[in-house]
């Protein structure tokens, strides 16, 4: 971490807790907008979350609704919604959903603000100037992506069938509404996997080379919240624990959006692309192994994190030279417990991954930008050894 210069930005208003969604009407009034476009996914509509949201904000007149956002949103979907927004005379966006819906809404907002008729006109990272203000309000329905607080969106290019990454402050929403009522239908395996993804966001944000003092504050707060609630949330599925995990995920999103992720995400991206392992589950399997493998490299950072993964007494009574390894062991125990109580896969063999896949996984991981955030060069043998630990 440089002590001479860093940048930090978080312009998102966070409304957290019971009945936070009912404040959408106030936020619309504050931003002087009256014609929202509601974006969501078909599954969320089918299970009643879209209608529930509309009932919670019954005083808001919503005439334009688009719920055909797929799980893997594309440039074609975004371009269609841009036209839909303009054809219906909308002046703001409300997004209800997980990562795909959120990234779609962020890209629609950015494109309209830049007077672009296609998201492909805005290819390139951090190359935009401030555009017309299009108010965006997000209601997350998952507990792990943190996309509601990041300056990043990942969208599939429908023409090339590749993933495109957009990075810009223009992607940030005006306000997010974290409400446990919107995560009540999440099954235990989904709670566990997405919360591990959020925990990884925070841990990697705290330990990568682009960390800074402000991102550290968000990261450590997130780690404390998630570590205290992840197992309880899976066991009890209580609204209180889910609310805490939602907050922890958003704080982690702020942290890594201003810092970065690292080798765990680089390998997870690769194994997802090569073998189809769901991202959150790949993270849940990789995180403990990577922490164990790099406990000496990240000795200072992981040692500090013991305080947030446990409590003051445990931290104080653990010899300094053992704290880094202890942090890795705690995360490993969380994964093992989730495997038992949430029936989550705990190794990649459960997804049919074999050693024959390693060469392609390693090649893709080595070309992933996140791998550059490690304090030391990550070699092919490092990735191979980590993969072996996860089989």
């Amino acid at each position: 971490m440089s002590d001479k210069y860093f940048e930090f930005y978080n312009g998102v208003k966070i409304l957290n807790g019971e009945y936070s969604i009912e404040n959408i009407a106030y936020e619309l009034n504050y931003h002087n907008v009256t014609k929202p476009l509601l974006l969501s996914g078909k599954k969320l509509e089918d299970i009643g979350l879209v209608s529930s949201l509309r009932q919670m904000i019954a005083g808001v007149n919503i005439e334009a609704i688009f719920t055909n956002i797929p799980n893997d949103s594309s440039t074609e979907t975004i371009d269609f919604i841009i036209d839909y927004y303009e054809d219906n005379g909308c002046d703001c966006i409300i997004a209800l959903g997980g990562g795909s819906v959120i990234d779609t809404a962020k890209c629609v907002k950015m494109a309209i603000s830049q007077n672009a008729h296609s998201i492909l006109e805005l290819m390139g990272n951090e190359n935009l100037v401030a555009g017309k203000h299009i108010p965006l309000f997000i209601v997350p329905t998952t507990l792990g992506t943190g996309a509601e607080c990041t300056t990043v969106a990942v969208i599939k290019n429908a023409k090339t069938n590749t993933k495109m990454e957009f990075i810009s402050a223009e992607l940030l929403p005006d306000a997010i509404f974290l409400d446990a009522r919107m995560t009540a239908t999440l099954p235990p395996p989904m709670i566990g996997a997405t919360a591990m993804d959020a925990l990884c966001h925070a841990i990697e944000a705290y330990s990568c080379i682009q960390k800074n003092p402000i991102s550290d504050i968000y990261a450590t707060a997130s780690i404390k919240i998630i570590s205290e609630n992840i197992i309880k949330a899976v066991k009890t599925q209580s609204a209180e624990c889910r609310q805490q995990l939602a907050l922890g995920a958003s704080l982690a999103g702020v942290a890594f959006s201003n810092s970065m992720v690292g080798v765990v995400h680089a390998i997870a991206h690769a194994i997802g692309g090569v073998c189809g392992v769901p991202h959150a589950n790949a993270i849940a399997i990789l995180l403990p192994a990577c922490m164990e493998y790099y406990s000496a490299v990240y000795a200072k950072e992981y040692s500090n994190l013991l305080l947030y993964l446990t409590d003051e007494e445990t931290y104080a009574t653990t010899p300094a030279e053992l704290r880094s390894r202890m942090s890795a062991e705690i995360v490993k125990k969380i994964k093992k417990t989730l495997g038992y109580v949430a029936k989550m896969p705990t190794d990649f063999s459960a997804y049919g991954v074999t050693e024959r896949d390693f060469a392609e996984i390693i090649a893709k991981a080595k070309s992933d930008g996140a791998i550059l955030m490690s304090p030391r060069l990550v070699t092919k043998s490092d990735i191979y050894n980590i993969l072996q630990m996860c089989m």
Side-chain angles (χ1 to χ4, degrees), residues 126-181:
E126 300 186 276
N127 63 341
L128 303 180
V129 296
K132 177 184 176 182
H133 182 216
I134 305 297
L136 171 60
F137 312 101
I138 293 177
V139 182
T141 59
T142 61
L143 301 171
T145 70
E148 65 275 7
C149 282
T150 71
T151 57
V152 180
V154 179
I155 299 294
K156 183 174 73 175
N157 186 319
K159 295 180 180 179
T160 63
N161 202 32
T162 57
K163 293 293 184 73
M164 299 175 60
E165 187 177 67
F166 296 87
I167 302 177
S168 173
E170 289 288 285
L171 292 166
L172 286 171
D174 292 270
I176 64 171
F177 304 82
L178 308 179
D179 195 313
R181 290 173 293 178

Side-chain angles (χ1 to χ4, degrees), residues 106-277:
K106 288 160 66 174
C107 284
V108 170
K109 161 198 157 63
M110 181 173 68
I112 296 171
S113 75
Q114 297 289 317
N115 293 315
H117 298 289
S118 170
I119 190 63
L120 292 176
E121 296 176 31
L122 306 180
M123 292 172 61
N125 291 339
E126 300 186 276
N127 63 341
L128 303 180
V129 296
K132 177 184 176 182
H133 182 216
I134 305 297
L136 171 60
F137 312 101
I138 293 177
V139 182
T141 59
T142 61
L143 301 171
T145 70
E148 65 275 7
C149 282
T150 71
T151 57
V152 180
V154 179
I155 299 294
K156 183 174 73 175
N157 186 319
K159 295 180 180 179
T160 63
N161 202 32
T162 57
K163 293 293 184 73
M164 299 175 60
E165 187 177 67
F166 296 87
I167 302 177
S168 173
E170 289 288 285
L171 292 166
L172 286 171
D174 292 270
I176 64 171
F177 304 82
L178 308 179
D179 195 313
R181 290 173 293 178
M182 293 294 104
T183 60
T185 60
L186 287 178
M190 183 69 74
I191 294 173
T194 55
M196 282 292 281
D197 190 16
L199 182 63
C200 183
H201 289 153
I203 290 175
E204 292 205 292
Y206 185 82
S207 53
C208 79
I209 60 174
Q210 283 191 173
K211 71 199 298 296
N212 63 70
I214 307 178
S215 67
D216 284 353
I217 293 170
Y218 281 87
T220 53
S222 172
I223 292 165
K224 186 68 173 176
I225 290 170
I226 295 172
S227 62
E228 287 180 347
N229 288 278
I230 184 170
I231 300 301
K232 289 188 291 184
V234 170
K235 286 183 175 179
T236 68
Q237 300 178 60
S238 74
E240 180 181 358
C241 290
R242 283 185 286 105
Q243 188 70 54
Q244 289 296 306
L245 291 181
L247 177 60
S250 293
L251 296 177
V254 175
F256 87 82
S257 185
N258 285 279
S259 177
M260 190 45 176
V261 288
V263 65
V264 182
H265 273 76
I267 302 175
H269 293 156
I271 204 164
V274 175
C275 302
V277 181

Side-chain angles (χ1 to χ4, degrees), residues 1-21:
M1 179 184 68
S2 171
D3 59 357
K4 294 182 178 180
Y5 179 83
F6 69 87
E7 294 183 5
F8 183 93
Y9 182 75
N10 177 39
V12 181
K13 182 176 181 179
I14 299 175
L15 295 89
N16 176 76
E18 191 174 12
Y19 302 118
S20 64
I21 289 174

Side-chain angles (χ1 to χ4, degrees), residues 60-82:
V60 176
N61 183 30
I62 301 178
E63 297 180 354
I65 303 175
F66 185 87
T67 59
N68 289 322
I69 297 175
N71 290 334
D72 196 10
S73 192
S74 71
T75 52
E76 285 184 344
T77 301
I78 291 168
D79 290 351
F80 181 88
I81 297 173
I82 292 170

